[in-house]
Amino acid sequence: MEILKTIIFFFTFLLFQTIQARNECPSRFCGKNQFAIRFPFLLQGHQPQNCGYPGFNLSCTSQKPEVVINIPDSGDFLVGDINYMIQEIQLFDPNGCLPKRLMSLNLSSSPFTFTYSQNFTFLSCPIDLVMKSRLTTIDCLGNSTASVVATSSMDHVKAMNMCSTIVSMPIPVSWPHRNEWLAFDFKEDLRLTWDVPNCVDCESKGGICGFQNSTSNQTHCFIDTITGQSRGLQIFRIIVLSIVIPAIMCSIIISCFLCFIGRRRHVVVSAPRNGTAAVAPQTPDTTIIGLDDSTIESYTKVILGESRRLPGPNGATCPICLVDYDPKDIIRCIPQCEHCFHSDCIDEWLRMNGTCPLCRNSPSPSRPV
Ligand SMILES: *[C@@H]1O[C@H](CO)[C@@H](O)[C@H](O)[C@H]1NC(C)=O
Ligand SMILES: *[C@@H]1O[C@H](CO)[C@@H](O)[C@H](O)[C@H]1NC(C)=O
Ligand SMILES: *[C@@H]1O[C@H](CO)[C@@H](O)[C@H](O)[C@H]1NC(C)=O
Ligand SMILES: *[C@@H]1O[C@H](CO)[C@@H](O)[C@H](O)[C@H]1NC(C)=O
Ligand SMILES: *[C@@H]1O[C@H](CO)[C@@H](O)[C@H](O)[C@H]1NC(C)=O
Ligand SMILES: *[C@@H]1O[C@H](CO)[C@@H](O)[C@H](O)[C@H]1NC(C)=O
């Protein structure tokens, strides 16, 4: 399997390399971040200007590799993830106080917008009042004398008449929150979307958007390059699967077939073998690497009882013929490793192989009878 992995990696690498050579704006990564930075985003200073759409500049922080976006009038945010399929960017505050940033968020000069927003009121309340209630406070906004809570309920605001309103404004939320009496704490990242450029169709077809050429401002869907990659990979996977699966199926069928033949032959030869000791081996060609009948006969043979419990480290299924053991089945066990099998199956196997099929231990061929 290691070899297979290496081959797959090698092929992926090769395909990827050829795609990269054809794509003028390859994806960029900021350190070990998981997500790719590509059109409409641009990693500033690492890509030519025509690789990104205006307003989508990103940069890398140097100390700890993290992606930063500057939203005009609202400052820098760290980027948690970019979903190109649904055109969504996930942002959080470098100082860990997103509510503070939301209170001054102004997206009017940026390409970003939000799917849902809800009117929230931020209230500054005396700290002892909040301590007595079960309100969720926004700790990073509070101080030693005042706690800050946010609520989407006007009733809530009216009831909290000891508090002063800081600001009341629409706040982007990932889904509308019910007007619960409990206040909201903004623990989740800020999710923003963009409408222009619209690359949803292109992405869903497996393509990547980009400007048509370095002088044009028309977007174009570069679909053939990327599907070339995924189609190539798919074909490769199909080839691998079409080799591996038949190989496994073949080996199962062959072992079952051997087992079946062995059982039938056993039935046919068992009568003369019991009568006369001088029966010639049924498969003389294979006795060279296998064991002779007298050695095989010297191994313990048991008849299974109603409990079907086998001696030693054995399961409920014969590993050679993959059939469950039944009461009264004749079982033969290999003395060195105590592995047991249907007598019909293991006898035929040992005549050809001479080793335990499970652990490959070689029973001594010169074992005295
Ligand atoms: C975005 O990045 C490009 C390329 O680095 C640069 O030319 C452009 O001025 C940047 N735009 C803004 C708004 O920073
Ligand atoms: C948002 O910013 C624009 C200009 O950048 C400004 O005209 C507008 O008044 C701001 N909106 C708020 C609510 O501050
Ligand atoms: C939010 O408040 C504004 C006025 O401040 C109002 O026009 C708008 O309808 C409110 N939205 C919701 C969803 O209550
Ligand atoms: C605490 O914050 C409130 C506003 O939320 C402010 O009026 C007050 O002066 C602050 N107190 C201290 C000690 O910083
Ligand atoms: C760039 O694309 C435009 C169409 O959007 C075309 O008119 C122009 O000739 C192209 N320029 C080059 C250098 O290919
Ligand atoms: C492309 O640029 C031309 C002028 O250079 C402008 O008139 C047009 O609106 C731009 N189109 C887009 C989609 O930005």
Side-chain angles (χ1 to χ4, degrees):
M1 285 318 276
E2 282 306 310
I3 293 170
L4 199 62
K5 272 186 203 156
T6 315
I7 292 171
I8 290 173
F9 176 78
F10 183 69
F11 265 73
T12 321
F13 183 74
L14 266 188
L15 284 164
F16 195 60
Q17 284 298 97
T18 52
I19 300 304
Q20 293 281 301
R22 288 161 64 191
N23 196 341
E24 278 178 31
C25 295
S27 298
R28 293 282 180 225
F29 295 85
C30 186
K32 280 184 188 155
N33 261 291
Q34 294 294 308
F35 61 90
I37 295 168
R38 54 181 165 84
F39 192 88
F41 292 93
L42 172 105
L43 192 58
Q44 221 168 324
H46 295 267
Q47 281 171 306
Q49 190 174 351
N50 65 302
C51 285
Y53 209 83
F56 289 83
N57 277 10
L58 301 177
S59 52
C60 252
T61 55
S62 46
Q63 324 88 318
K64 194 178 159 205
E66 274 181 303
V67 185
V68 178
I69 188 165
N70 180 273
I71 296 192
D73 305 321
S74 301
D76 286 350
F77 286 85
L78 294 179
V79 182
D81 198 10
I82 299 172
N83 186 331
Y84 293 94
M85 284 292 229
I86 59 171
Q87 305 207 146
E88 185 186 80
I89 185 168
Q90 220 167 305
L91 304 178
F92 58 102
D93 178 34
N95 300 316
C97 194
L98 188 59
K100 188 177 179 183
R101 307 294 304 277
L102 292 175
M103 283 163 67
S104 60
L105 190 69
N106 183 352
L107 296 175
S108 61
S109 331
S110 88
F112 301 105
T113 165
F114 38 78
T115 316
Y116 291 118
S117 80
Q118 212 168 352
N119 285 344
F120 273 93
T121 303
F122 291 82
L123 300 166
S124 173
C125 304
I127 202 155
D128 46 338
L129 173 88
V130 174
M131 295 272 264
K132 276 183 259 160
S133 65
R134 300 207 336 271
L135 292 171
T136 308
T137 59
I138 302 167
D139 294 336
C140 64
L141 289 176
N143 60 26
S144 55
T145 58
S147 283
V148 173
V149 296
T151 178
S152 57
S153 152
M154 283 320 285
D155 294 340
H156 201 166
V157 174
K158 282 188 202 115
M160 309 259 296
N161 53 12
M162 298 167 78
C163 308
S164 57
T165 299
I166 306 170
V167 68
S168 199
M169 63 182 296
I171 297 287
V173 288
S174 46
W175 71 90
H177 292 264
R178 285 169 51 221
N179 291 337
E180 284 164 350
W181 195 239
L182 267 177
F184 190 56
D185 64 353
F186 305 99
K187 282 277 156 58
E188 16 174 315
D189 288 354
L190 172 63
R191 289 165 189 266
L192 299 177
T193 60
W194 68 92
D195 297 325
V196 181
N198 189 337
C199 296
V200 172
D201 272 359
C202 182
E203 292 281 340
S204 65
K205 288 180 198 143
I208 287 186
C209 264
F211 284 123
Q212 205 152 30
N213 58 43
S214 53
T215 54
S216 159
N217 63 358
Q218 299 288 308
T219 52
H220 177 74
C221 186
F222 295 94
I223 196 150
D224 43 354
T225 55
I226 191 72
T227 47
Q229 178 187 6
S230 49
R231 196 173 295 154
L233 270 179
Q234 267 171 13
I235 290 170
F236 179 70
R237 283 200 195 106
I238 289 167
I239 291 172
V240 168
L241 286 181
S242 64
I243 293 171
V244 170
I245 290 181
I248 294 170
M249 293 297 285
C250 265
S251 50
I252 291 174
I253 289 169
I254 288 172
S255 43
C256 285
F257 181 70
L258 285 179
C259 179
F260 180 64
I261 296 274
R263 285 187 158 202
R264 282 190 53 183
R265 186 171 294 154
H266 188 76
V267 170
V268 171
V269 300
S270 56
R273 188 184 289 164
N274 289 350
T276 59
V279 171
Q282 292 298 307
T283 49
D285 292 352
T286 54
T287 48
I288 301 153
I289 47 164
L291 302 181
D292 60 294
D293 282 1
S294 59
T295 310
I296 296 172
E297 279 303 323
S298 71
Y299 295 160
T300 319
K301 218 162 139 179
V302 295
I303 298 175
L304 276 190
E306 287 299 325
S307 72
R308 294 180 288 173
R309 196 179 299 126
L310 267 73
N314 295 288
T317 308
C318 172
I320 299 181
C321 57
L322 305 177
V323 172
D324 281 356
Y325 296 117
D326 283 326
K328 299 203 173 67
D329 275 359
I330 300 174
I331 305 300
R332 195 188 292 287
C333 299
I334 295 177
Q336 280 81 358
C337 56
E338 297 187 326
H339 285 133
C340 303
F341 311 89
H342 278 127
S343 172
D344 306 347
C345 304
I346 190 64
D347 290 6
E348 191 62 28
W349 173 277
L350 288 176
R351 272 184 213 112
M352 294 189 298
N353 288 287
T355 57
C356 171
L358 279 192
C359 58
R360 304 279 155 189
N361 265 353
S362 183
S364 162
S366 58
R367 201 182 143 85
V369 182

